[in-house]
Amino acid sequence: MCGILGISNRNADVFAEIYDGLLMLQHRGQDASGIVTYTGEFFRERKANGQVKDVFNAENAQTLTGKVGIGHVRYPTAGSLSAAEAQPFFVNAPYGIYLVHNGNITNTQEQRKKVTGKYSRHLRTTSDSEILLNVLADKVADAMKVNGNHDPIRNLFAGVKMMMERIQGAYSVITMVAGVGMLAFRDPHGIRPLSVAKRAAEGEGDDYAFASEDVAFDINGFDKLRDVKPGEAILIDLDGNMHSFQAAEGKLTPCIFEYVYLARPDSMLDGISVYKTQIRMGETLAKQIQELDLEIDSIIPVPDSARPVALEVANATGIRYREGLVKNRYVGRTFIMPGQAERQKSVRRKLNTISLEFKDKNVLLIDDSIVRGNTIKKIVQMCREAGAKKVYVASASPPVKYPNVYGIDMPTKHELIAHGREIEEIREELGCDALIYQHLDDLIWAAKEGNPEIDAFDCSCFDGEYITGISDDYLLSLENSTRVSAKIKDMPSGGTAPKLASTG
C-alpha cells in the first residue's frame, strides 16, 4: 500500500500542490516520501525516509521547480526499508522516465532475470517497482525500433501494452517522461485504485492530476473526471492535452480491503463511497450482534477507521455509543509500523482508556479488521485494566486468513492470527469474552451496493483466491524472505502468530 500523485499545471510550479496532495495521502504510507518535478529540460528530485512534513521544507519549493511533477508516500511490501528504495525511480533511456508505483508485482524473480540477463540492465534496489520501470523502458525501446521516434506517445502506449503482457500482479502507476508528459496506467484487474482529475487553466489546455484517492484532488481545486479503467493508459502531454489508450483487456476487480481499512472514508473508489460502504458494514454486523443476545452496556470503536461501522451498529441495535479509547494523533498507524515489536510497543503510545467508560461495564469493541491480532489483544487487556466486566470484540471484516500479495503488508500465513484457527481459538488468544466477525458475503454486498456494475472484488486475504493466479513457489518465497524472517524474530515468545511450520 502506497500513495501516488501526479500533477500537470499549465501556468505554475507544482511542488506546493504535490506536497499538499501527498499530505492527504499520508495514511497510505509513512515510511518514505518522494517528489520529482520537470522543468521542461531537467528533472528535480528529493526523496528520503520519513513523512511528507519531515522530508520536505520551504527551501524545496525553490529547488523543485517545474510545471509537471509526481509524488509518492511509501509503505514497503517488497524490498528493504532502505532510503535507497524510496520512490520515484528513474531510468535515463529511452527519453528519461521517472515512475511511482502502488501495488506489488508477483512475477518479480522471472522479470528480474530477464531485465538483468537478456537486457543487461543494472538494478540498484530490490524493489519490484524498479523492475516494473525497467520492463516498461525495455518495451518502449522495442516500440521505438519499430515505429521510429517521430511519435513518442504512440511508442509509450505500445510500450505499456507490451509491458502488461509481461508483468503480473497489482500496479497503479504514474510516470513522467522527458519531452513528452505525464503517463499513468492501471493493471488489467484494477486491483489498486487510481483516478484522474481536471482543472480549467488559463490559455490553451487544462491542468490534470492523477491520484490513488480523490481526496488529493479537492485540496488543489481539481474536479475528478473518473477512475482510470483496468488496463488503460492515459497520457497528459506537455501542452495539457489528454490522450487515452486501452493497453489490455480489463475487468475491474478492486481490492475490497481498501474499503475496510486502507482508504480514507471521504474517498470515492471506483464509484463506491468508502464511508457508505462502512455504514453498510455496520448494518450487517449489527444483525449478527443482535442474534447473539449479549448483555452490552456500550459500543466503543477502536479509533479511527472503525467509527462509521460502530456508529451504525449502535444505531441499528439501540445500544449506546461511547468513545472510550482516546487516540494520540502524533503516533502513526500501528498496522504500517515496520517491525512487529515496534507495532506492539506503539499501541500503548497510541491509545489510552477513559476509565469511566469501562469500569463495571460490559463493552463491545468494534475494530475495522484483525490482522495479526497484536493491537486488539493489547486493547482488550487495557479495557480489563480499566475495570471492564466483560469485553466483547467485533471485526467489521471477515477473518484475515491468507497472504495479501497485491501491495498490503500481510504477506505470510504465519503472521495472521486467523490462519489455521477456529473463531473460538482466536477468541481465547485475544482474551475477549466473545468474538464476532463480518461474513464475507455481507462485506461484498456492502461494497457492491455502491457500484452494482462491479461483478467481483479481490478478497484474497479472506478467501485465498488470487485473481491473477499465484504459484505455490511464490507464496513459499514470501514465507522464507529475509524481511519476513526479521518480523518473526521481532515476535514475542508465545505470540499470536502460528509457527512457520504451519505453512502449506
Side-chain angles (χ1 to χ4, degrees), residues 161 164-165 171 186-190 229-232 245-252:
K161 178 179 174 63
M164 287 187 176
E165 294 169 355
Y171 49 91
R186 194 176 180 192
D187 73 73
H189 296 280
K229 299 174 186 176
E232 182 185 23
F245 174 68
Q246 192 64 38
E249 182 179 353
K251 182 178 181 180
L252 183 59

Short mmCIF file of all heavy atoms in Angstrom, two decimals, residues 161 164-165 171 186-190 229-232 245-252:
data_model
loop_
_atom_site.label_atom_id
_atom_site.label_comp_id
_atom_site.label_asym_id
_atom_site.label_seq_id
_atom_site.Cartn_x
_atom_site.Cartn_y
_atom_site.Cartn_z
N LYS A 161 1.49 -1.48 -23.42
CA LYS A 161 0.78 -2.68 -23.87
C LYS A 161 1.68 -3.91 -23.74
O LYS A 161 1.26 -4.95 -23.19
CB LYS A 161 0.32 -2.52 -25.32
CG LYS A 161 -0.39 -3.74 -25.90
CD LYS A 161 -0.82 -3.48 -27.33
CE LYS A 161 -1.41 -4.73 -27.97
NZ LYS A 161 -2.63 -5.19 -27.28
N MET A 164 2.36 -4.83 -20.07
CA MET A 164 1.24 -5.51 -19.41
C MET A 164 1.18 -6.98 -19.78
O MET A 164 0.64 -7.79 -19.02
CB MET A 164 -0.08 -4.82 -19.76
CG MET A 164 -0.26 -3.49 -19.07
SD MET A 164 -1.92 -2.78 -19.34
CE MET A 164 -1.82 -1.30 -18.31
N GLU A 165 1.74 -7.34 -20.91
CA GLU A 165 1.79 -8.75 -21.30
C GLU A 165 2.83 -9.51 -20.49
O GLU A 165 2.78 -10.74 -20.40
CB GLU A 165 2.10 -8.86 -22.80
CG GLU A 165 0.99 -8.31 -23.69
CD GLU A 165 1.40 -8.19 -25.15
OE1 GLU A 165 2.60 -8.44 -25.45
OE2 GLU A 165 0.54 -7.83 -25.98
N TYR A 171 -0.77 -3.12 -10.03
CA TYR A 171 0.02 -1.91 -10.23
C TYR A 171 -0.85 -0.76 -10.73
O TYR A 171 -1.55 -0.86 -11.71
CB TYR A 171 1.18 -2.15 -11.20
CG TYR A 171 0.83 -2.83 -12.50
CD1 TYR A 171 0.49 -2.09 -13.64
CD2 TYR A 171 0.87 -4.22 -12.62
CE1 TYR A 171 0.18 -2.73 -14.83
CE2 TYR A 171 0.56 -4.86 -13.80
CZ TYR A 171 0.22 -4.11 -14.90
OH TYR A 171 -0.10 -4.74 -16.09
N ARG A 186 -3.04 1.50 -15.21
CA ARG A 186 -3.56 0.65 -14.14
C ARG A 186 -3.62 -0.79 -14.64
O ARG A 186 -3.94 -1.04 -15.80
CB ARG A 186 -4.96 1.15 -13.76
CG ARG A 186 -5.53 0.61 -12.47
CD ARG A 186 -6.87 1.27 -12.19
NE ARG A 186 -7.47 0.79 -10.95
CZ ARG A 186 -8.72 1.03 -10.58
NH1 ARG A 186 -9.50 1.76 -11.37
NH2 ARG A 186 -9.19 0.55 -9.45
N ASP A 187 -3.33 -1.75 -13.77
CA ASP A 187 -3.29 -3.15 -14.19
C ASP A 187 -4.66 -3.62 -14.70
O ASP A 187 -5.70 -3.02 -14.40
CB ASP A 187 -2.79 -4.05 -13.06
CG ASP A 187 -3.81 -4.24 -11.95
OD1 ASP A 187 -4.80 -4.96 -12.17
OD2 ASP A 187 -3.63 -3.66 -10.86
N PRO A 188 -4.70 -4.69 -15.49
CA PRO A 188 -5.94 -5.12 -16.13
C PRO A 188 -7.06 -5.54 -15.17
O PRO A 188 -8.20 -5.69 -15.60
CB PRO A 188 -5.49 -6.32 -17.00
CG PRO A 188 -4.05 -6.05 -17.29
CD PRO A 188 -3.52 -5.42 -16.03
N HIS A 189 -6.74 -5.74 -13.90
CA HIS A 189 -7.77 -6.07 -12.92
C HIS A 189 -8.17 -4.86 -12.08
O HIS A 189 -9.14 -4.93 -11.31
CB HIS A 189 -7.28 -7.19 -11.99
CG HIS A 189 -7.04 -8.48 -12.70
ND1 HIS A 189 -8.05 -9.36 -13.02
CD2 HIS A 189 -5.90 -9.05 -13.15
CE1 HIS A 189 -7.54 -10.42 -13.63
NE2 HIS A 189 -6.24 -10.25 -13.73
N GLY A 190 -7.43 -3.77 -12.19
CA GLY A 190 -7.74 -2.57 -11.41
C GLY A 190 -7.71 -2.82 -9.91
O GLY A 190 -8.55 -2.31 -9.17
N LYS A 229 -9.46 3.21 -16.02
CA LYS A 229 -10.02 1.89 -16.27
C LYS A 229 -8.94 0.81 -16.13
O LYS A 229 -7.76 1.06 -16.36
CB LYS A 229 -10.60 1.84 -17.70
CG LYS A 229 -11.72 2.83 -17.95
CD LYS A 229 -12.13 2.81 -19.41
CE LYS A 229 -13.15 3.89 -19.73
NZ LYS A 229 -13.47 3.92 -21.17
N PRO A 230 -9.33 -0.40 -15.78
CA PRO A 230 -8.37 -1.51 -15.75
C PRO A 230 -7.75 -1.71 -17.13
O PRO A 230 -8.45 -1.75 -18.15
CB PRO A 230 -9.23 -2.71 -15.36
CG PRO A 230 -10.43 -2.14 -14.71
CD PRO A 230 -10.69 -0.83 -15.36
N GLY A 231 -6.43 -1.77 -17.17
CA GLY A 231 -5.73 -1.97 -18.44
C GLY A 231 -5.61 -0.72 -19.29
O GLY A 231 -5.13 -0.79 -20.43
N GLU A 232 -6.00 0.43 -18.75
CA GLU A 232 -5.96 1.68 -19.52
C GLU A 232 -4.69 2.47 -19.22
O GLU A 232 -4.18 2.46 -18.09
CB GLU A 232 -7.17 2.55 -19.18
CG GLU A 232 -7.23 3.86 -19.97
CD GLU A 232 -8.37 4.76 -19.54
OE1 GLU A 232 -8.84 4.63 -18.40
OE2 GLU A 232 -8.78 5.62 -20.36
N PHE A 245 -5.60 5.29 -24.03
CA PHE A 245 -5.34 4.08 -24.81
C PHE A 245 -5.65 2.86 -23.95
O PHE A 245 -5.17 2.76 -22.82
CB PHE A 245 -3.88 4.05 -25.27
CG PHE A 245 -3.47 2.78 -25.98
CD1 PHE A 245 -3.98 2.47 -27.22
CD2 PHE A 245 -2.57 1.91 -25.39
CE1 PHE A 245 -3.58 1.30 -27.88
CE2 PHE A 245 -2.15 0.76 -26.03
CZ PHE A 245 -2.67 0.45 -27.29
N GLN A 246 -6.46 1.94 -24.48
CA GLN A 246 -6.75 0.70 -23.76
C GLN A 246 -5.64 -0.29 -24.11
O GLN A 246 -5.66 -0.93 -25.16
CB GLN A 246 -8.12 0.15 -24.16
CG GLN A 246 -8.62 -0.97 -23.26
CD GLN A 246 -8.86 -0.53 -21.82
OE1 GLN A 246 -9.33 0.58 -21.59
NE2 GLN A 246 -8.55 -1.39 -20.86
N ALA A 247 -4.69 -0.43 -23.21
CA ALA A 247 -3.49 -1.22 -23.49
C ALA A 247 -3.73 -2.72 -23.34
O ALA A 247 -3.02 -3.53 -23.93
CB ALA A 247 -2.35 -0.79 -22.56
N ALA A 248 -4.70 -3.10 -22.52
CA ALA A 248 -5.01 -4.51 -22.31
C ALA A 248 -6.48 -4.63 -21.97
O ALA A 248 -7.09 -3.71 -21.43
CB ALA A 248 -4.15 -5.09 -21.18
N GLU A 249 -7.05 -5.77 -22.32
CA GLU A 249 -8.44 -6.02 -21.96
C GLU A 249 -8.56 -6.05 -20.44
O GLU A 249 -7.81 -6.75 -19.76
CB GLU A 249 -8.92 -7.33 -22.56
CG GLU A 249 -10.38 -7.64 -22.27
CD GLU A 249 -10.83 -8.95 -22.91
OE1 GLU A 249 -10.04 -9.53 -23.68
OE2 GLU A 249 -11.97 -9.38 -22.61
N GLY A 250 -9.48 -5.29 -19.92
CA GLY A 250 -9.58 -5.19 -18.47
C GLY A 250 -10.92 -5.62 -17.92
O GLY A 250 -11.95 -5.52 -18.61
N LYS A 251 -10.90 -6.09 -16.67
CA LYS A 251 -12.12 -6.39 -15.94
C LYS A 251 -11.90 -5.94 -14.50
O LYS A 251 -11.01 -6.45 -13.81
CB LYS A 251 -12.45 -7.88 -15.98
CG LYS A 251 -13.74 -8.21 -15.24
CD LYS A 251 -14.09 -9.68 -15.34
CE LYS A 251 -15.41 -9.95 -14.61
NZ LYS A 251 -15.79 -11.39 -14.68
N LEU A 252 -12.69 -4.99 -14.06
CA LEU A 252 -12.48 -4.36 -12.76
C LEU A 252 -12.75 -5.34 -11.62
O LEU A 252 -13.86 -5.85 -11.46
CB LEU A 252 -13.39 -3.13 -12.63
CG LEU A 252 -13.24 -2.32 -11.34
CD1 LEU A 252 -11.81 -1.80 -11.19
CD2 LEU A 252 -14.22 -1.15 -11.33
#
